[in-house]
Amino acid sequence: MVKANDQQPVRIVLVGSGNIASGSHLPSLKRLEQENICKVVGIADIDKDKAEATAKKFDVPVFGNDWRDVVKRSSATAVSVTTTPGPNASISTEAVHENLHVLCEKPPGRNISDTRLLAEAAFENPSRITMVAFNRRYSPLTRKVVEASQAIAPPSMFDGRFTRASLGAGPSDTLENWITSDGSHTIDMAISIMGMPKRITVWRSATGSNVDNVWDIIFETMTATSHLHFNFAAGKRMERFEWIGPDYDVTLELPLQAIWAERGKPVEVWKAEELTGVALNAWNYGFGEQYRTFFNAIRGDGPRPEPNFEYADQFMKLIDVVLQSSNGESSFFEVEPTDTSIPVSEQPIAIKNISSDRHNVLKKPTVYIKLPHQAQSRYLTEHNFERLRSNFILRQRVDDVKEHDLIESDVIITGWGDTGLTAAEIDKAIKLKAVIVIGASVKGVNPELLLERGIKLYNTADAIASGVAEHCLLLSL
């Protein structure tokens, strides 16, 4: 969390004044201005006349065709980059290096080269807040049904549908495929609700086009499955998400309504406008709460956004695997955290085609060694590491504890040399099934909380008992 700055409104410049900026971003930002959270102080666009017209329409004082100049003249501390993919990534990268907080419109670039530069910029400027505009996860309706779901149990099945009446048309945003931009919200929703997939299966075809415009994609995590359906030769636009958990199911039709069904209770229909009191599609799609999250992080009133620029890099690596997949092909997918010390061409995207070994792959748990680096080599031998790597997906702590390592962990190894496990860390470890403590005492890992949640707890007391006894006996002589 960034230190609060006396709760002054965040001064932001919008870079790009196209339809998405005028139709969704600016109306949402102007509503937030009424809460004194932000102040839109500038509009920049390569077409200066367009920037001027947009600035006048939304009562923005500064405009121009050079975003750096607009930022300087308006004394902005943040930018929202709404240009097309590719330029959005390059501008966002430069803006972070200019010491600005940056929100980048989806998709965060055209390819993994773009997002690698975004991740590098964020890594080199850790005090800056970065965010990708995956606003569907911030829709008030989405938040309401996710909260209701999680209060019972995580879902086990997810179904996402995005269709559009675009027969004969090409993909949006000057891209060469329908997935990177047009399909990105649906893919992000699957990830945000179900987690990053471990296995991907793709079917694709072309209807009235030389570009594949009908896609079925299956994502599988260790515990859940997502089915994503894209058809850009359909009869109408439809954005629909469904997920199922024990005793409940959800239907989410953005930006209009959500249907909540829980066993033994009447079915409830939640209307977006009744929930928000706002008759603005952009707001009910999530643009407003997306920006609120961004500004709260900048002001120190909330956590950093989850879809940040490191996430952008992982997301685009996933997209790259989907696009490379042949019809009916299944791949095992594992993206390690972005290592900014090695070239993008060598970034670790693990892809393994699988067929009959499906269940072996899906049952391979993730073990996170939370011990500090020096303690790992002190208490574990190379033979230990080899055995772990051969039987598990192994994650090893390098410096600070990373949230994504906790989230992905089925087993955590901690103990001597580590601070244990806090309640907040246990909350983040949503897949956690077991904790192993190197040592005898388990009081540092919140044992009551672990046992309450059905998480198994082990220590190495038996392994050290004889040595401790002998040492105590020797000291007493």
Side-chain angles (χ1 to χ4, degrees):
M1 187 181 295
V2 178
K3 186 177 179 181
N5 57 359
D6 299 326
Q7 308 309 307
Q8 295 298 312
V10 177
R11 299 176 65 85
I12 187 168
V13 163
L14 209 69
V15 182
S17 58
N19 292 336
I20 189 70
S22 297
S24 298
H25 286 268
L26 282 164
S28 300
L29 285 166
K30 298 304 283 187
R31 287 192 62 86
L32 289 173
E33 279 190 347
Q34 299 172 22
E35 301 178 35
N36 203 38
I37 292 175
C38 67
K39 179 66 177 174
V40 184
V41 293
I43 304 287
D45 194 287
I46 55 173
D47 184 336
K48 187 175 180 179
D49 292 339
K50 194 173 182 180
E52 180 179 9
T54 304
K56 288 181 177 178
K57 178 180 178 180
F58 289 94
D59 192 26
V60 177
V62 182
F63 61 88
N65 59 0
D66 183 335
W67 67 266
R68 290 185 182 84
D69 177 64
V70 173
V71 166
K72 183 178 180 180
R73 287 191 287 123
S74 62
S75 300
T77 58
V79 294
S80 176
V81 184
T82 68
T83 59
T84 54
N88 69 340
S90 60
I91 293 171
S92 295
T93 298
E94 293 168 15
V96 175
H97 286 305
E98 293 283 342
N99 205 34
L100 295 166
H101 305 290
V102 182
L103 184 143
C104 177
E105 181 55 78
K106 68 83 186 171
R110 300 176 69 90
N111 50 49
I112 56 178
S113 296
D114 285 343
T115 54
R116 166 61 193 278
L117 294 176
L118 287 173
E120 280 184 343
F123 178 83
E124 293 169 8
N125 299 274
S127 65
R128 300 302 87 188
I129 299 299
T130 63
M131 187 177 190
V132 181
F134 287 125
N135 48 68
R136 273 36 171 191
R137 61 164 70 194
Y138 293 102
S139 160
L141 276 176
T142 302
R143 287 184 158 185
K144 184 175 177 68
V145 290
V146 167
E147 182 179 352
S149 302
Q150 294 296 339
I152 299 176
S156 57
M157 294 178 62
F158 177 92
D159 193 271
R161 168 187 168 179
F162 184 64
T163 61
R164 184 184 291 165
S166 299
L167 182 64
S172 302
D173 297 327
T174 70
L175 290 168
E176 297 176 352
N177 68 83
W178 283 99
I179 296 300
T180 302
S181 181
D182 299 276
S184 60
H185 277 310
T186 301
I187 291 172
D188 175 69
M189 280 287 285
I191 295 170
S192 70
I193 292 171
M194 309 300 286
M196 191 67 77
K198 301 295 184 184
R199 169 181 154 129
I200 303 165
T201 307
V202 175
W203 287 270
R204 56 205 290 186
S205 61
T207 299
S209 172
N210 59 359
V211 178
D212 289 334
N213 54 6
V214 179
W215 294 71
D216 279 288
I217 303 170
I218 296 177
F219 288 164
E220 294 173 84
T221 68
M222 298 293 290
T223 58
T225 304
S226 300
H227 294 253
L228 309 182
H229 314 281
F230 301 97
N231 192 319
F232 300 97
K236 66 175 182 178
R237 178 189 172 98
M238 168 70 78
E239 194 165 358
R240 181 186 178 103
F241 309 102
E242 300 179 66
W243 59 91
I244 301 170
D247 280 347
Y248 72 86
D249 61 72
V250 171
T251 301
L252 178 61
E253 297 175 351
L254 292 177
L256 302 176
Q257 66 178 14
I259 302 171
W260 170 260
E262 185 176 349
R263 185 169 67 92
K265 297 182 180 180
V267 174
E268 298 181 58
V269 178
W270 300 326
K271 299 291 186 179
E273 288 188 24
E274 294 175 2
L275 178 64
T276 64
V278 180
L280 176 65
N281 277 351
W283 191 270
N284 293 324
Y285 267 127
F287 281 85
E289 293 306 315
Q290 161 194 277
Y291 272 113
R292 190 189 303 279
T293 300
F294 180 56
F295 294 137
N296 282 346
I298 294 170
R299 289 155 54 97
D301 293 336
R304 290 174 176 267
E306 290 182 5
N308 56 23
F309 285 178
E310 182 179 359
Y311 173 82
D313 194 39
Q314 296 189 8
F315 178 88
M316 197 60 77
K317 288 173 181 175
L318 173 63
I319 294 294
D320 192 58
V321 173
V322 169
L323 295 176
Q324 290 182 37
S325 297
S326 301
N327 230 11
E329 179 183 1
S330 295
S331 301
F332 175 53
F333 174 72
E334 178 72 17
V335 177
E336 294 299 327
T338 301
D339 184 346
T340 57
S341 65
I342 59 179
V344 65
S345 60
E346 301 172 17
Q347 282 294 306
I349 309 176
I351 310 169
K352 183 177 75 171
N353 295 338
I354 55 177
S355 52
S356 60
D357 63 337
R358 167 186 177 183
H359 296 289
N360 291 332
V361 171
L362 293 179
K363 290 181 180 179
K364 203 171 185 181
T366 297
V367 174
Y368 175 40
I369 303 179
K370 187 175 170 288
L371 295 167
H373 188 67
Q374 290 184 333
Q376 293 180 34
S377 58
R378 181 175 182 182
Y379 301 121
L380 297 169
T381 66
E382 188 55 40
H383 178 63
N384 295 145
F385 288 123
E386 288 177 3
R387 291 188 64 185
L388 286 168
R389 292 188 188 102
S390 65
N391 292 285
F392 306 95
I393 298 169
L394 184 62
R395 292 175 177 264
Q396 294 175 248
R397 176 176 168 184
V398 177
D399 40 47
D400 295 335
V401 176
K402 306 296 186 186
E403 182 174 320
H404 52 72
D405 286 327
L406 295 171
I407 292 172
E408 293 298 321
S409 297
D410 295 283
V411 179
I412 292 177
I413 299 176
T414 181
W416 290 323
D418 190 23
T419 55
L421 277 174
T422 66
E425 289 173 329
I426 294 170
D427 285 340
K428 292 174 182 175
I430 56 176
K431 296 164 53 180
L432 189 60
K433 300 176 181 65
V435 173
I436 300 171
V437 177
I438 296 180
S441 175
V442 297
K443 63 182 181 181
V445 296
N446 282 279
E448 295 85 1
L449 180 59
L450 293 176
L451 296 176
E452 177 185 317
R453 298 187 179 184
I455 298 170
K456 295 182 178 180
L457 178 58
Y458 304 91
N459 65 9
T460 60
D462 289 346
I464 62 175
S466 297
V468 170
E470 292 169 357
H471 181 71
C472 293
L473 180 61
L474 181 63
L475 290 176
S476 67
L477 295 177

